[in-house]
C-alpha cells in the first residue's frame, strides 16, 4: 500500500470554535476523520449537536451588535487582512486540503489562492456598492437603506471545502452579518485553520463561529434554530429540498446551490481540439467532484465517433496518483462511501451503455479511493448515468443530429446548473444559450468565473443567486425610506362638516 503524505502540524483533534475559543462538544462526542488514500482515521473531530449550535448562535447574536456597526470600509479592511493571512498560509492550506479531500496538490494550491481572492473581491464590492434613491418631483424623495439580516447559517460541502467556505464567509461578513459555519463532516481539516486566520485578522470574537458535526445533527440544528434567519447551503439536491422544507416554518431566507448534470454540446463546426481540452478538464479536474462538471457530452453525429475516440484516449492518459504528487491530475475520491457510490454508477453504466475506457482502479494503486477516468458512449437519454449526478470522473457521451435534438437532450434532466456550447456559428450559440434550461452558460469557453456575475442554477440545481452584489443582497434587508420635501397635501378624510 502507498502511504499518504502527512503534512506537518496535523491536529489530533478538531474542535468547535465558539465565541473566539476552541471548545469540545457539550456532550463530549467525536467522530473519526479519514484520509482518502489510506481510509484510516487521522483525527477526531468534535461532533456537534443542538447544544453546541445554540452556544454558537448565542455568540453570533451577541457579536452582531458590534460587527454590524462597523462601517463598510472598516469591514472591508478586516476582509483584506483575512486575505493577507490566507496567502501567508498558502502552502499549509493547500497541503491540508489535498490530504483531507484527495484533491491533487496542484489544484489545491489554486483553491487556496481563490479563497484569498474571494475576500479581496467582496471587500471591494462593499466599498463600491451604492444605495438607491428615487425622487418624486419636488414633493418627495425615497432612498433605500441596506442593513445586515442577522446571524447567517452557512452549510458547506466537502468538495474544495476551504474555497467554498470562503465563498460564503466573505459576503456574509462584509454585509455585516455574523455567522455559524457547519463544515462538511468528511473534510473538516482545512476549516480547522479558520480560527487562527480570522483571529489574526482582527475579526471580533463571536462574529464567526464553527460547529463541526454530522449534517443530520449539527446541520439540522442550525437550520431549525429560530435566531438564524437565513441559510446558505451548497450540496446535494435532496438535502437542499429537506433544508427548504425545514426552513419553511420560520420563513427563513435560503440560498441553495445544488446538484448538476451539465451538458457540453459540441457541434461539428467547432474547434474540436479546444472543445476536447475543455471537456477533459471540465469533467476530470477536481477528481470530477465538481457541481459544474460537463458530465454529459452531446456531440453532433458527423464528428461523434472521432470525438469519442479522442476523448477516450485523453481519459486513458490522465495521470491518476497520490494527491501529494505535483504530477497527479486525478487524485483519490473523498471518502469510501462516496467511492462506493461512484463505482455503483460505473456498474450501472456497464449495463446501460458502452464502456469505452476506465471504469476500474488503476493497476498501480491497489488501495485508496482511486478510479481511472471513465468514458461511456452510446448513452440513451433515459439511462441513469445520463440522468443522475455521479460526482466523479465519469462522463457520458451521446450523439445528436439536429440543433433541436441537442436542446432537447440538454434539457432532458431535472438539473439546470451549467451548460457549455462549442460551435463556430455564434448565432446558433446564442440561440441554444437562450433555449437551454441552465443558470450559467459558456460559449466556446471552459468554466472561467467572473466573481461579479450571479452564480446558481434553475430547476433542481438550486434556488437563488450568489456572486457580486447578489451575495450582498442575500445577506441584507432593504428598507425603503420616504421623505416629504415640501408641504404635505394628504386628502382630508373626515374634515368636512
Amino acid at each position: 500500500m502507498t502511504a499518504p503524505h502527512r503534512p506537518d502540524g496535523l491536529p489530533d483533534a478538531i474542535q468547535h470554535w465558539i465565541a473566539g475559543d476552541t471548545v469540545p462538544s457539550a456532550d463530549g462526542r467525536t467522530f473519526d476523520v479519514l484520509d482518502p488514500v489510506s481510509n484510516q482515521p487521522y483525527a477526531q473531530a468534535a461532533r456537534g449537536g443542538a447544544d453546541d449550535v445554540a452556544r454558537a448562535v448565542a455568540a453570533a447574536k451577541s457579536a452582531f451588535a458590534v460587527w454590524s456597526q462597523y462601517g463598510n470600509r472598516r469591514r472591508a479592511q478586516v476582509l483584506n487582512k483575512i486575505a493577507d493571512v490566507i496567502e501567508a498560509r498558502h502552502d499549509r492550506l493547500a497541503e491540508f486540503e489535498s490530504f483531507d479531500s484527495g484533491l491533487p496538490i496542484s489544484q489545491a494550491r489554486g483553491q487556496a489562492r481563490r479563497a484569498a481572492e474571494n475576500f479581496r473581491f467582496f471587500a471591494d464590492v462593499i466599498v463600491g456598492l451604492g444605495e438607491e434613491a428615487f425622487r418624486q418631483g419636488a414633493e418627495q424623495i425615497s432612498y433605500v437603506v441596506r442593513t445586515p439580516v442577522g446571524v447567517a447559517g452557512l452549510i458547506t460541502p466537502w468538495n474544495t471545502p476551504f474555497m467554498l467556505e470562503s465563498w460564503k464567509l466573505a459576503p456574509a461578513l462584509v454585509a455585516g452579518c455574523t455567522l455559524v459555519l457547519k463544515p462538511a463532516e468528511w473534510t473538516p481539516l482545512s476549516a480547522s485553520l479558520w480560527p487562527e486566520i480570522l483571529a489574526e485578522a482582527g475579526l471580533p470574537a463571536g462574529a464567526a463561529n464553527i460547529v463541526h458535526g454530522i449534517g443530520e445533527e449539527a446541520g439540522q440544528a442550525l437550520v431549525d434554530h429560530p435566531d438564524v434567519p437565513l441559510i446558505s447551503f451548497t450540496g446535494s439536491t435532496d438535502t437542499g429540498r429537506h433544508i427548504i422544507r425545514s426552513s419553511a416554518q420560520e420563513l427563513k431566507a435560503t440560498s441553495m446551490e445544488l446538484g448538476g448534470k451539465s451538458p457540453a454540446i459540441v457541434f461539428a463546426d467547432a474547434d474540436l481540439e479546444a472543445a476536447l481540452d475543455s471537456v477533459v478538464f471540465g469533467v476530470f479536474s477536481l477528481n470530477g467532484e465538481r457541481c459544474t462538471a460537463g458530465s454529459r457530452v452531446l456531440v453532433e453525429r458527423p464528428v461523434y465517433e472521432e470525438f469519442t475516440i479522442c476523448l477516450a484516449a485523453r481519459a486513458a492518459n490522465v495521470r491518476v496518483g497520490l494527491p501529494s504528487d505535483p504530477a497527479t491530475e486525478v487524485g483519490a475520491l473523498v471518502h469510501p462511501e462516496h467511492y462506493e457510490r461512484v463505482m455503483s454508477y460505473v456498474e450501472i453504466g456497464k449495463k446501460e451503455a458502452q464502456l469505452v475506457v476506465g471504469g476500474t482502479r488503476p493497476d498501480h494503486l491497489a488501495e485508496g479511493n482511486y478510479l481511472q477516468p471513465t468514458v461511456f458512449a452510446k448513452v440513451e437519454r433515459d439511462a441513469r448515468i445520463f440522468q443522475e449526478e455521479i460526482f466523479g470522473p465519469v462522463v457520458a457521451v451521446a450523439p445528436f443530429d439536429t440543433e433541436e435534438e441537442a436542446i432537447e437532450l440538454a434539457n432532458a434532466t431535472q438539473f439546470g446548473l451549467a451548460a457549455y456550447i462549442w460551435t463556430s456559428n455564434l448565432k446558433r450559440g446564442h440561440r441554444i444559450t437562450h433555449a437551454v434550461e441552465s443558470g450559467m452558460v459558456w460559449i466556446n469557453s471552459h468554466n472561467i468565473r467572473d466573481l461579479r456575475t450571479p452564480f446558481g442554477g434553475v430547476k433542481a440545481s438550486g434556488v437563488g443567486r450568489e456572486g457580486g452584489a447578489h451575495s450582498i443582497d442575500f445577506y441584507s434587508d432593504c428598507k425603503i425610506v420616504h421623505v416629504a420635501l415640501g408641504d404635505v397635501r394628504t386628502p382630508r378624510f373626515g374634515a368636512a362638516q
Side-chain angles (χ1 to χ4, degrees):
M1 174 180 172
T2 303
H5 166 72
R6 291 180 65 87
D8 294 335
L10 279 181
D12 295 323
I14 298 173
Q15 305 279 47
H16 308 310
W17 191 51
I18 298 174
D21 293 321
T22 53
V23 295
S25 293
D27 59 10
R29 291 191 303 161
T30 63
F31 63 92
D32 288 337
V33 186
L34 315 181
D35 79 79
V37 172
S38 71
N39 286 325
Q40 296 301 308
Y42 69 87
Q44 295 284 308
R47 182 167 177 164
D51 289 343
D52 305 294
V53 168
R55 283 190 295 162
V57 172
K61 192 173 180 181
S62 177
F64 181 76
V66 176
W67 179 247
S68 64
Q69 295 306 305
Y70 279 36
N72 287 349
R73 187 168 294 279
R74 189 178 178 192
R75 290 198 294 267
Q77 289 171 342
V78 175
L79 261 68
N80 277 314
K81 179 61 176 174
I82 293 170
D84 291 341
V85 180
I86 290 173
E87 288 175 343
R89 288 162 170 76
H90 175 270
D91 290 339
R92 186 182 180 204
L93 272 169
E95 279 197 306
F96 273 29
E97 194 82 312
S98 177
F99 177 79
D100 199 30
S101 69
L103 192 67
I105 186 64
S106 60
Q107 296 167 44
R109 290 193 182 104
Q111 299 305 311
R113 285 191 294 270
R114 285 186 61 189
E117 175 58 24
N118 283 337
F119 281 93
R120 295 202 191 284
F121 170 78
F122 282 107
D124 291 343
V125 167
I126 202 66
V127 170
L129 190 63
E131 292 173 324
E132 299 172 294
F134 306 89
R135 184 168 177 169
Q136 294 89 46
E139 298 179 353
Q140 185 162 288
I141 190 169
S142 304
Y143 64 92
V144 176
V145 177
R146 184 183 284 108
T147 58
V149 173
V151 178
L154 311 181
I155 303 175
T156 52
W158 47 257
N159 61 316
T160 62
F162 191 85
M163 190 279 291
L164 289 177
E165 288 156 7
S166 74
W167 174 243
K168 297 183 186 296
L169 285 165
L173 288 171
V174 86
C177 291
T178 54
L179 60 93
V180 178
L181 168 67
K182 208 299 280 184
E185 54 263 37
W186 284 351
T187 54
L189 180 59
S190 59
S192 71
L193 297 177
W194 283 118
E196 64 183 51
I197 292 170
L198 299 177
E200 183 176 332
L203 188 72
N209 304 271
I210 301 173
V211 177
H212 295 281
I214 310 304
E216 293 83 352
E217 298 169 356
Q220 186 67 58
L222 186 57
V223 170
D224 291 342
H225 200 291
D227 291 333
V228 179
L230 78 173
I231 299 290
S232 177
F233 170 76
T234 299
S236 74
T237 295
D238 287 344
T239 303
R241 289 189 176 110
H242 175 79
I243 289 173
I244 290 174
R245 285 193 294 267
S246 297
S247 300
Q249 183 64 32
E250 299 286 343
L251 296 177
K252 299 186 182 210
T254 59
S255 177
M256 301 279 120
E257 197 266 281
L258 306 177
K261 192 71 176 177
S262 301
I265 306 171
V266 181
F267 283 89
D269 66 350
D271 180 337
L272 296 182
E273 191 66 25
L276 182 64
D277 287 344
S278 176
V279 166
V280 172
F281 181 82
V283 75
F284 298 138
S285 62
L286 307 183
N287 298 344
E289 297 165 331
R290 61 187 306 161
C291 57
T292 55
S295 55
R296 291 183 299 138
V297 181
L298 312 177
V299 185
E300 195 170 13
R301 196 175 298 276
V303 295
Y304 173 76
E305 184 174 352
E306 172 193 353
F307 194 88
T308 303
I309 291 171
C310 293
L311 174 57
R314 289 283 294 275
N317 285 331
V318 169
R319 183 157 181 168
V320 183
L322 284 173
S324 57
D325 184 347
T328 291
E329 294 171 318
V330 169
L333 300 188
V334 66
H335 192 274
E337 287 183 26
H338 182 62
Y339 180 70
E340 289 177 10
R341 179 181 181 276
V342 172
M343 292 305 296
S344 73
Y345 273 105
V346 171
E347 293 307 310
I348 289 168
K350 290 176 181 178
K351 300 174 184 176
E352 294 181 324
Q354 177 187 351
L355 176 63
V356 181
V357 71
T360 61
R361 173 189 299 281
D363 292 338
H364 66 289
L365 295 165
E367 305 276 350
N369 307 324
Y370 293 105
L371 173 62
Q372 184 67 40
T374 300
V375 178
F376 285 101
K378 299 180 180 178
V379 184
E380 300 293 335
R381 57 167 289 165
D382 59 349
R384 289 184 62 186
I385 61 169
F386 189 88
Q387 291 290 333
E388 300 175 18
E389 186 175 39
I390 299 173
F391 220 64
V394 181
V395 63
V397 192
F400 67 86
D401 291 297
T402 65
E403 183 178 316
E404 292 73 23
E405 185 183 9
I407 293 168
E408 194 275 332
L409 287 172
N411 293 339
T413 76
Q414 65 172 321
F415 299 106
L417 186 58
Y420 307 88
I421 301 166
W422 289 89
T423 177
S424 62
N425 183 338
L426 288 183
K427 289 183 179 179
R428 174 165 59 193
H430 285 286
R431 282 197 305 272
I432 295 175
T433 291
H434 293 290
V436 168
E437 297 164 349
S438 174
M440 300 172 289
V441 180
W442 283 264
I443 301 176
N444 297 332
S445 169
H446 70 279
N447 191 339
I448 296 175
R449 286 285 322 286
D450 184 326
L451 293 176
R452 296 170 295 179
T453 60
F455 186 98
V458 299
K459 301 195 295 187
S461 287
V463 176
R465 294 292 184 274
E466 296 189 43
H470 301 274
S471 292
I472 307 301
D473 288 343
F474 176 68
Y475 294 104
S476 303
D477 283 326
C478 287
K479 180 183 296 183
I480 181 71
V481 180
H482 304 281
V483 182
L485 299 178
D487 295 336
V488 179
R489 297 181 179 86
T490 307
R492 303 188 69 205
F493 277 30
Q497 298 297 319

